[in-house]
Amino acid sequence: MGRQVAEALDALRNLGTPDEMRVLAQQDCSPRPLPPINAHVHLPPNFSAFESVEQAVNLAADQGLAALGVSNYYDYDVYGDFVHCARHKGIFPLFGTEIICMDDALRDAGIKINDPGNPGKFYFCGKGITRFDEMTPAATRLLGIIRRNDSTRMAQMVERMERLFTERGLKTEIDENAVVEMIVRRHGSARNTVYLQERHVCQAFQEALFEHVQPEERIERLNRILDAKTKAHHPADFVAMQNDIRSHLMKAGKPAFVEETFVSFEDAYRLVRELGGIPCYPTIADGASPFCQFEQSPDKLIAEIQGRNIHAAEWIPIRNKIDVLCEYANRMREAGLVITAGTEHNTLDLIPLDPFCQDGDVPGDMRALFWEGACVVAGHQFLTLHGECGFVDGEGNPNPDYASADARIQALARIGAAVIRRYHEAYGGN
């Protein structure tokens, strides 16, 4: 990776020594009132609501965030630019990753985990990763497998989409390279950092529709291509049209669908460990209807994820109602899980960065949990950058220096709050 990534990690490492932070952690370093944080967004070249890293960081600063976490798929070169922008705005950077994997046994049993449409499909996160500059051989190998699988599939889907559009009356001449070029033009990303997602392909074909078809004819033409009625109510509603292209043409059972090839859960877990992160379970809960079997009750879910040596859980509250979020997240924290939250921003809808629920603002006690979780991630990042054990060790096991899960969470949160305070003193911000 580039020198900017190494410099970004050095900037955090050079905030002080672990012993200095432990001394500072004896003070109350958390600001009052607690500022908003967001531990999970996607930045370009991932499919993103943001045109650029700078836009994301500027919005975070304008909206008063103290920390912003990035959870990109499969390439981390952009993290150097992210930290560079974050320093200028006093936004503390949290590093993460997201991986899609498969549990074959649960798939075969028809059990849905945290994808409401696909049994066995498992979204999995790593929080506080720090070894994405000079990756271990195992991390390089696993990322290589994931990238090859994804690239092969997306090339086939683009080919099927082009053939389908042509057969249904709109020749676009789009190929895989054209979609990559669209991303490079839009975001200024380096080509070698671009890994296509389904939403990128939908955007490319939606833009082709807009380029070749007059506004007054778009909805009718799109309906013919979809062999269904679009939910778009006006010819400029590109977000609805992209969603419809994906739903009617690219999802499982649809004409442009190509079967996904996933790494196993064990490989995804190994990749998070190799990147130095905290294995973390992204919870969907009532974001699925009905609830996924894996998540049918808080106690069942807690047992499932702790049985996999996972000690952190993440929420995207916009999917959830307040009462469900509170019930599940409080039980998780009582069981010794760290709780984080974010917004994804993996569609073109530019929603606020401060997480909120389907039916209103996140309650104050949940905000306190989210702040605590972000501080744990910050503390883990800092300690691992100094070669020490963070919230978990290199095998994903809880740091053994603490007598209980609660003591471990509180101690890492205090260290993380001290790190964030020192960062804000150095670079401004909240």
Side-chain angles (χ1 to χ4, degrees):
M1 293 199 179
R3 191 173 74 179
Q4 194 174 34
V5 174
E7 291 175 350
L9 294 173
D10 284 341
L12 296 182
R13 189 181 290 110
N14 293 338
L15 290 171
T17 68
D19 286 342
E20 288 172 344
M21 292 304 166
R22 291 188 181 99
V23 171
L24 185 57
Q26 300 308 307
Q27 306 173 21
D28 184 1
C29 294
S30 294
R32 295 290 185 273
L34 294 177
I37 59 90
N38 187 322
H40 188 131
V41 299
H42 291 267
L43 294 179
N46 275 192
F47 195 86
S48 173
F50 309 113
E51 294 287 339
S52 66
V53 173
E54 185 177 19
Q55 181 194 20
V57 173
N58 286 345
L59 286 171
D62 292 344
Q63 295 172 29
L65 269 68
L68 182 63
V70 185
S71 294
N72 270 24
Y73 291 104
Y74 311 149
D75 191 272
Y76 314 113
D77 193 71
V78 71
Y79 287 16
D81 190 23
F82 169 54
V83 174
H84 176 76
C85 293
R87 285 209 306 270
H88 283 287
K89 291 293 183 177
I91 302 293
F92 188 86
L94 302 170
F95 306 120
T97 188
E98 188 165 7
I99 306 161
I100 306 173
C101 54
M102 177 61 67
D103 184 304
D104 290 341
L106 293 182
R107 179 199 60 203
D108 294 345
I111 302 296
K112 294 176 183 176
I113 304 171
N114 54 8
D115 182 309
N118 298 283
K121 189 174 178 180
F122 199 140
Y123 285 84
F124 188 59
C125 286
K127 314 303 293 183
I129 65 173
T130 53
R131 294 203 295 265
F132 51 84
D133 179 23
E134 296 181 5
M135 286 188 283
T136 66
T140 301
R141 178 182 64 82
L142 288 168
L143 272 174
I145 293 169
I146 293 169
R147 289 166 173 172
R148 284 193 300 275
N149 289 345
D150 266 18
S151 295
T152 300
R153 176 176 185 258
M154 295 317 302
Q156 292 172 351
M157 290 190 86
V158 172
E159 183 179 339
R160 291 188 184 188
M161 286 285 287
E162 162 56 24
R163 185 165 62 248
L164 189 67
F165 267 61
T166 298
E167 290 171 353
R168 296 182 180 182
L170 182 61
K171 187 172 180 59
T172 67
E173 297 185 346
I174 291 173
D175 58 13
E176 179 188 18
N177 185 63
V179 184
V180 171
E181 284 299 326
M182 176 196 73
I183 298 166
V184 170
R185 287 194 307 273
R186 181 183 179 204
H187 302 299
S189 304
R191 285 184 58 89
N192 66 334
T193 68
V194 175
Y195 294 93
L196 297 185
Q197 298 166 242
E198 289 181 7
R199 293 184 187 276
H200 288 133
V201 178
C202 296
Q203 183 181 17
F205 281 90
Q206 168 266 312
E207 290 184 355
L209 175 74
F210 276 37
E211 178 183 354
H212 296 298
V213 180
Q214 292 299 312
E216 62 272 15
E217 299 175 6
R218 283 177 190 158
I219 290 179
E220 181 185 350
R221 290 288 295 278
L222 181 59
N223 287 344
R224 292 209 303 268
I225 292 167
L226 299 178
D227 195 24
K229 288 188 176 180
T230 177
K231 293 180 181 177
H233 295 298
H234 55 81
D237 190 352
F238 58 89
V239 173
M241 292 186 187
Q242 289 177 24
N243 290 338
D244 286 336
I245 289 170
R246 189 174 183 221
S247 297
H248 291 288
L249 302 181
M250 299 181 71
K251 288 293 190 180
K254 302 302 181 180
F257 176 74
V258 174
E259 192 70 40
E260 296 166 279
T261 303
F262 299 105
V263 293
S264 66
F265 168 78
E266 290 75 18
D267 279 343
Y269 192 97
R270 172 78 183 276
L271 178 56
V272 169
R273 291 195 295 105
E274 294 292 333
L275 293 172
I278 302 169
C280 180
Y281 178 81
T283 313
I284 189 169
D286 59 328
S289 181
F291 280 57
C292 295
Q293 298 99 313
F294 198 79
E295 301 185 350
Q296 279 183 338
S297 72
D299 289 342
K300 174 175 171 52
L301 176 57
I302 290 164
E304 291 281 7
I305 61 180
Q306 287 185 330
R308 294 170 182 260
N309 204 26
I310 300 171
H311 304 281
E314 185 154 76
W315 291 80
I316 308 298
I318 192 174
R319 300 169 176 159
N320 308 112
K321 291 186 177 178
I322 294 170
D323 60 344
V324 175
L325 171 67
C326 292
E327 178 189 8
Y328 272 70
N330 278 323
R331 282 290 298 116
M332 287 173 156
R333 179 60 181 83
E334 290 166 5
L337 300 177
V338 167
I339 308 298
T340 60
T343 53
E344 291 259 35
H345 273 80
N346 64 345
T347 73
L348 294 181
D349 297 313
L350 200 56
I351 61 175
L353 279 159
D354 186 1
F356 58 95
C357 291
Q358 278 185 15
D359 53 348
D361 292 337
V362 171
D365 59 338
M366 290 295 100
R367 287 185 174 276
L369 283 190
F370 299 161
W371 170 261
E372 177 187 69
C375 289
V376 169
V377 174
H380 176 86
Q381 282 184 182
F382 181 78
L383 292 176
T384 56
L385 280 170
H386 284 270
E388 295 196 8
C389 182
F391 180 66
V392 296
D393 64 17
E395 297 300 313
N397 298 317
N399 187 321
D401 292 342
Y402 303 96
S404 68
D406 189 62
R408 183 171 57 253
I409 292 171
Q410 291 192 36
L412 266 292
R414 286 194 297 269
I415 292 171
V419 171
I420 293 173
R421 174 177 164 180
R422 178 66 61 83
Y423 178 91
H424 286 156
E425 289 171 352
Y427 301 113
N430 301 283

